[in-house]
């Protein structure tokens, strides 16, 4: 029971991170119908910016921790968003209306490019940072001394994700941007006719997705304390799985899917085998795509004739 | 009385809350051109999609009977319907293999025959005589149909480079290369000029008269319908509102109402 | 003629420089390095400065060319190019970037002049490339024979270990490219996990040869069959999926196989892989060792030669050459057969295929299995050539490289794949210094090809059959 509870907490924190990344996949898919394969690497860039940020702050003498975290979050979001914007502008926008696999291939190229770029400029070695937020609550203790911990870091992750989700949902539901996005999802030509700036809307979608991925990157850096240039691949696949599982195109779906993947991974690693935990993620992806490609919150598609 | 070629009974197709085809029943005879008419959105294309296995009907029965046997179309997969029940179709918005040549388009339609002749792979890889012979025959059939639609000199063109009218005709020729017993044409005259349209009428009549192939025709242009169809079925909002010969249908008050109601849309 | 960039053009240049600054400042400017007390930071502000400057110059030249202002387009391009030689650029990559970028900008400016001031659009570029591609494609038979002659003669002209090793590598990738081409180029399915079949082939060979003591010539077909079986297993559930989902699922399968290879110690040896994979014999007649351990005679004694380790390499070279040629022969034939046409039709329009009675699942499955078989052959060859295999050799990057070869070459074009392999595998071998930037260039290359030439370099399709012969009437395309 205690063990179970601990895995639940771990799974929830992990799942929140996947959910934040999954939103980027789902939004882009919703609006231009492509899988942004490079999104995992955008998240990786966010994580690296966090490493750079925390290291730099540490070198200049440090700051009051909440201030440092806030500062790094903002820096990472801004700079990662720039990457998101450029990726769309350079690799995807020229391909609208090209043949159907072109954007996906371009995205794979982008992913390889980003990974190797970071490897080149930041080095291939694992980057460790000293823990930023330490400590937590001890919730329970079992007779044999096993304790259930809820670390401050986990609280930060879960709360921050919740807050972002609320802000973000409001943004989509209430603002002109959200309306333009939904209009573009339905029909880009019509949207353009009624005066919506389609290019800008799509750009903004990428920017927002990248910023959220950056938050995930910062959280992961603080949570695990290590980052390398390759983390984007696995995290990307898992987050994509989350998006599919929740029903690609659906925002709450992405969050639910993320949490599910986080939980499954945590429990799988705890009760079955840690070595095969990545296989678990891939297997879920494969199964989900085969048996329920429209996801938990999506509706089946009919082949358009 | 012999069994009709096609027997549609109580066919219903729903998309969520929308009933696109609502309990439609009719029959089509072997040597007839049966026209399906109705305003935009009446459910004509959806009816075709049910017949050809692209949509699974919500309910109803579709029975096709010809020299090869009796087929319950609503239970079959799309590719089986084309291959076994021998129903061929064209599409409202033309679907050719645009990057391939005209001749290749017609050969793809004869895939099963050629596949068998190539003994699946071996015969083709080693170019055995039996395979070469089958391929020659397939090319001959393709050439015959190209002549029939008046495109014999364009066999090596890319399908995507053909003028619009030729694309429409090529799609019909391709459908006929599958050796069908029933041909479903979805607005074949759309976008054609009057001369092309007249030629098309002749082509459709030839298909009926010389190839023993029943024709199911969706058409907007009433003059075409009046000219060539033996039997007319009128749909409106998914329901069959009239059926009969062209003349009977033309004077049916319900049909007039359905069309007049949509008059402006028709103009546009 | 104007002497200055338009207002918009100038703004574009500044905008690009600003964005470049934003991207590069933290990632390039602040380099995290290991130090005694955890991470430290090296400042590389000069690199950022130069990079932004070079990017600005390049953009300025491109914009000037677009606006037909040669007095800016040429000098900017030349300065960029020269700075590659002269300026104190802080990194090798920047030198490379300055040279390559300067060269591209200069070419662009010259093309602009040649075209009488009309800038190069994506369309005009595509048409120009089409003309070139059509010429090359038309010359394919001659080119192929010349290449064939060169390739056959190579071991006698250059009996050099390094040359042969690189050639073997290139031939292996050509073979893999031709194999994958059946799925991607013909059937139009984006398979991101092709390396899985390569791995199945390699491990099948290694395990069969070691555990059952079977010879290479028995294992080769078995490896192909097992890979095809793998293709069947993977293909069955996923082939109904939509294009992009299919791609991701194949990626997933590729990774699953790799993770299984790493973790299934008892059979695969885990991350350490399998050592001492048996080397091939000379058709079961002789061995390529100085003193054969078994009952076979030694190759050099059999032919009365002096012993040389190069004999084996030459043998391997011809082995992969023959394998590749077999794959080529089969691919070319398949394309002209009903099944090949059906694959291409499926790539063009699946719905129309269904209406013609084509069973899409079966067709895709066939493509998958045939392609997998070829991958399996290549894998078996790889295992016997290396004598050692481990999961390291079968990562996603490997799949991506093979895919890039197919995509770059021109999907469906046999010759295109040869050219692409020479570019992707051959060039980096020649310019060893650039090894570091190979994958980087590779990523950029994939994006650029998709943007400028989405169907690949040699993207002209030769019809599988012609009614009126090559020069017949109306052979317009
Ligand atoms: N795949 C589908 N999903 C939802 N609605 C559909 C689908 N296909 C057709 N419909 C709807 O069914 C109705 C009939 O359409 P259709 O058969 O194309 O009409 P017609 O061919 O007579 O003009 C329309 O209201 C159309 O929107
Ligand atoms: Mg219609």
């Amino acid at each position: 029971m205690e063990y179970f509870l601990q895995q639940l907490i771990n799974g929830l924190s992990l799942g929140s991170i996947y959910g934040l990344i999954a939103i980027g996949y789902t939004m882009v898919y919703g609006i231009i119908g492509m899988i942004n394969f490079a999104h995992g690497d955008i998240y990786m860039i966010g994580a690296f910016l966090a490493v750079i940020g925390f290291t730099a702050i540490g070198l200049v003498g440090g700051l009051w921790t909440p201030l440092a975290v806030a500062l790094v979050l903002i820096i990472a979001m801004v700079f990662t968003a720039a990457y998101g914007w450029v990726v769309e502008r350079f690799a995807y926008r020229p391909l609208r209306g090209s043949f159907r696999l072109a954007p996906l291939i371009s995205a794979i190229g982008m992913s390889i490019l980003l990974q190797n770029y970071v490897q080149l400029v930041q080095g291939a070695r694992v980057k460790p940072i000293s823990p930023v937020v330490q400590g937590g609550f001890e919730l329970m203790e079992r007779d044999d001394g096993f304790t259930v911990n809820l670390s401050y870091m986990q609280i930060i992750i879960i709360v921050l994700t919740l807050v972002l989700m609320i802000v973000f949902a409001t943004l989509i539901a209430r603002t002109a941007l959200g309306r333009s996005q939904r209009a573009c999802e339905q029909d880009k030509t019509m949207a353009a006719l009624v005066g919506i700036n389609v290019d800008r809307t799509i750009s903004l979608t990428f920017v927002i997705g990248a910023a959220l991925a950056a938050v995930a990157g910062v959280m992961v850096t603080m949570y695990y304390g290590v980052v390398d240039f390759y983390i984007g691949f696995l995290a990307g696949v898992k987050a994509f799985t989350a998006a599919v599982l929740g029903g690609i195109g659906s925002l709450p779906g992405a969050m639910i899917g993320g949490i599910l993947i986080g939980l499954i991974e945590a429990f799988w690693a705890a009760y079955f085998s840690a070595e095969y935990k990545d296989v678990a993620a891939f297997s879920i992806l494969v199964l989900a795509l085969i048996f329920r490609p429209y996801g938990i919150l999506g509706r089946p598609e009919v082949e358009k004739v | 009385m012999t069994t009709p070629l096609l027997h549609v009974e109580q066919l219903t197709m729903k998309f969520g809350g929308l009933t696109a085809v609502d309990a439609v029943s009719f029959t089509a005879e072997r040597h007839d051109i049966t026209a399906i008419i109705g305003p935009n959105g009446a459910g004509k294309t959806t009816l075709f999609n049910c017949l050809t296995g692209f949509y699974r009907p919500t309910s109803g029965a579709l029975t096709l009977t010809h020299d090869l046997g009796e087929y319950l179309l609503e239970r079959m997969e799309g590719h089986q319907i084309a291959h076994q029940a021998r129903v061929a179709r064209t599409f409202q918005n033309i679907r050719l293999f645009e990057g391939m040549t005209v001749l290749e388009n017609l050969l793809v339609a004869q895939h099963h025959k050629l596949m068998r002749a190539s003994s699946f792979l071996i015969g083709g890889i080693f170019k055995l005589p039996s395979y070469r012979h089958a391929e020659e025959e397939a090319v001959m059939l393709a050439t015959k149909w190209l002549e029939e639609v008046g495109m014999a000199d364009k066999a090596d063109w890319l399908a995507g480079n053909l003028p619009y009218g030729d694309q429409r005709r090529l799609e019909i020729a391709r459908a006929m290369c599958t050796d069908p017993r029933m041909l479903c044409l979805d607005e074949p005259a759309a976008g054609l000029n009057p001369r092309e349209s007249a030629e098309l009428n002749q082509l459709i009549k030839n298909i009926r008269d010389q190839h023993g192939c029943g024709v199911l025709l969706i058409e907007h242009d009433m003059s075409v319908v009046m000219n060539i169809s033996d039997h007319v079925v009128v749909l409106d909002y998914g329901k069959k509102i009239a059926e009969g010969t062209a003349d009977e249908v033309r004077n049916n008050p319900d049909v007039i109402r359905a069309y007049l109601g949509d008059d402006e849309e028709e103009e546009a | 003629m104007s002497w200055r960039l338009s207002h918009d053009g100038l703004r574009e240049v500044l905008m690009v420089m600003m964005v470049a600054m934003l991207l590069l400042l933290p990632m390039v400017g602040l380099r995290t390095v290991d130090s005694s007390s955890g991470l430290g930071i090296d400042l590389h502000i000069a690199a950022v400065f130069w990079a932004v400057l070079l990017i600005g110059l390049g953009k300025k030249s491109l914009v000037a060319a677009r606006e037909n202002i040669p007095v800016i387009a040429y000098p900017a391009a030349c300065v960029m190019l020269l700075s590659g030689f002269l300026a104190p650029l802080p990194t090798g990559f920047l030198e490379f970037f300055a040279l390559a970028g300067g060269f591209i900008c200069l070419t662009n400016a010259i093309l602009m002049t040649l075209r009488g001031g009309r800038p190069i659009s994506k369309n005009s570029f595509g048409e120009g490339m089409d003309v070139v591609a059509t010429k090359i494609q038309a010359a394919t038979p001659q080119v192929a024979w010349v290449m064939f002659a060169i390739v056959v003669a190579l071991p006698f002209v250059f009996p050099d270990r390094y040359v042969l090793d690189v050639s073997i590598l290139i031939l292996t990738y050509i073979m893999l490219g031709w194999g994958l081409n059946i799925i991607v180029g013909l059937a139009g399915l984006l398979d991101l996990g092709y390396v899985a079949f390569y791995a199945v082939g390699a491990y099948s060979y290694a395990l069969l040869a070691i555990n059952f003591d079977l010879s290479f010539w028995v294992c080769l077909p078995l490896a192909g069959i097992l890979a095809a079986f793998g293709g069947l297993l993977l293909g069955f559930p996923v082939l109904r999926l939509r294009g992009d989902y299919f791609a991701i699922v194949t990626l997933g399968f590729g990774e699953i196989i790799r993770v299984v290879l790493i973790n299934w110690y008892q059979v695969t040896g885990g991350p350490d892989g399998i050592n001492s994979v048996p080397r091939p014999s000379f058709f079961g007649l002789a061995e390529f060792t100085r003193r054969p351990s078994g009952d076979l005679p030694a190759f050099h004694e059999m032919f009365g030669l002096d012993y040389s380790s190069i004999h084996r390499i030459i043998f391997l070279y011809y082995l992969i050459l023959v394998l590749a040629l077999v794959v080529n022969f089969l691919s070319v034939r398949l394309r002209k057969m009903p099944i090949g046409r059906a694959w291409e039709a499926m790539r063009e329009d699946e719905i129309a295929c269904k209406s013609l009675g084509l069973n899409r699942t079966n067709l895709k499955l066939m493509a998958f299995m045939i392609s997998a078989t070829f991958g399996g052959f290549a894998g078996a060859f790889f295992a016997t050539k290396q004598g050692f295999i481990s999961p390291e050799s079968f990562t996603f990057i490997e799949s991506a490289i093979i895919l890039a070869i197919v995509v770059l070459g021109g999907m469906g074009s046999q010759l295109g794949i040869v050219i692409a392999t020479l570019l992707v595998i051959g060039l980096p071998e020649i310019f060893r210094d650039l090894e570091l930037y190979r994958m980087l260039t590779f990523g950029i290359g994939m994006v650029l090809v998709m943007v400028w030439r989405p169907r690949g370099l040699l993207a002209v399709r030769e019809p599988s059959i012609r009614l009126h012969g090559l020069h017949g009437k109306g052979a317009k395309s």
Side-chain angles (χ1 to χ4, degrees), chain B residues 82 85-88 175-183 211-214:
Chain B
R86 301 300 175 95
V87 179
M176 286 313 292
C177 277
T178 62
D179 188 22
R181 297 296 184 273
M182 183 170 85
L183 176 66
H211 298 278
C213 177

Side-chain angles (χ1 to χ4, degrees), chain C residues 168-187 189 191 194-195 197-198 320 323-332 367 370-379 398-422 424-425 442:
Chain C
I168 289 176
L169 188 71
I170 291 177
L171 282 171
T172 313
Y173 276 100
I174 290 179
M175 175 168 170
L176 285 168
W178 280 338
L180 180 62
N181 184 39
I182 291 179
I183 302 185
V184 178
L186 294 184
L189 300 164
D191 182 353
Y194 192 57
V195 76
F197 303 136
Y198 191 43
I320 185 68
L323 283 175
L325 287 176
V326 167
V327 169
N328 180 44
F329 170 78
L330 291 177
S331 309
V332 170
I370 293 176
S371 188
T373 312
F374 296 160
F377 288 161
E398 211 61 27
S399 289
I401 291 177
I402 306 168
L403 178 70
I405 288 174
V406 175
V407 167
L408 179 68
M411 290 183 221
S413 161
Q414 298 292 108
L415 184 61
I417 285 170
V418 175
I419 296 174
T421 313
L422 291 175
V424 168
I425 308 291
F442 212 79

Side-chain angles (χ1 to χ4, degrees), chain A residues 190-255:
Chain A
M190 270 316 281
L193 279 178
V194 298
I196 290 171
N197 187 337
V198 176
D199 281 346
R200 213 181 58 142
T201 310
I202 295 177
S203 278
L204 272 173
T205 306
F206 274 83
V207 164
I208 295 173
L212 290 179
V215 176
V218 175
M219 293 296 119
V220 157
T221 310
M222 291 166 65
Y223 192 36
Y224 290 122
V226 285
V227 161
D228 68 57
F229 72 97
Y230 201 62
I231 57 168
F233 180 74
L234 258 188
V237 171
K238 286 178 189 166
F240 175 73
T241 309
V244 171
L245 204 59
I248 199 148
S250 147
L251 293 174
M255 213 54 232

Side-chain angles (χ1 to χ4, degrees), chain A residues 120-158:
Chain A
L120 195 70
V121 299
Q122 291 288 335
R125 301 189 50 156
V126 171
K127 304 281 169 188
I129 61 163
S130 42
V132 182
V133 179
Q134 275 171 312
F137 300 107
E138 208 165 278
L139 295 184
M140 255 186 251
E141 183 164 354
R142 206 162 60 183
D143 308 337
D144 63 359
F146 176 83
T147 55
V148 179
N149 288 309
L150 175 61
S151 67
Y152 294 134
M153 197 54 232
Q154 286 171 325
I155 299 176
I156 294 179
I157 291 177
I158 296 172

Side-chain angles (χ1 to χ4, degrees), chain B residues 45 92 186-187:
Chain B
T45 301
Q92 187 168 349
D186 197 343
E187 305 201 14

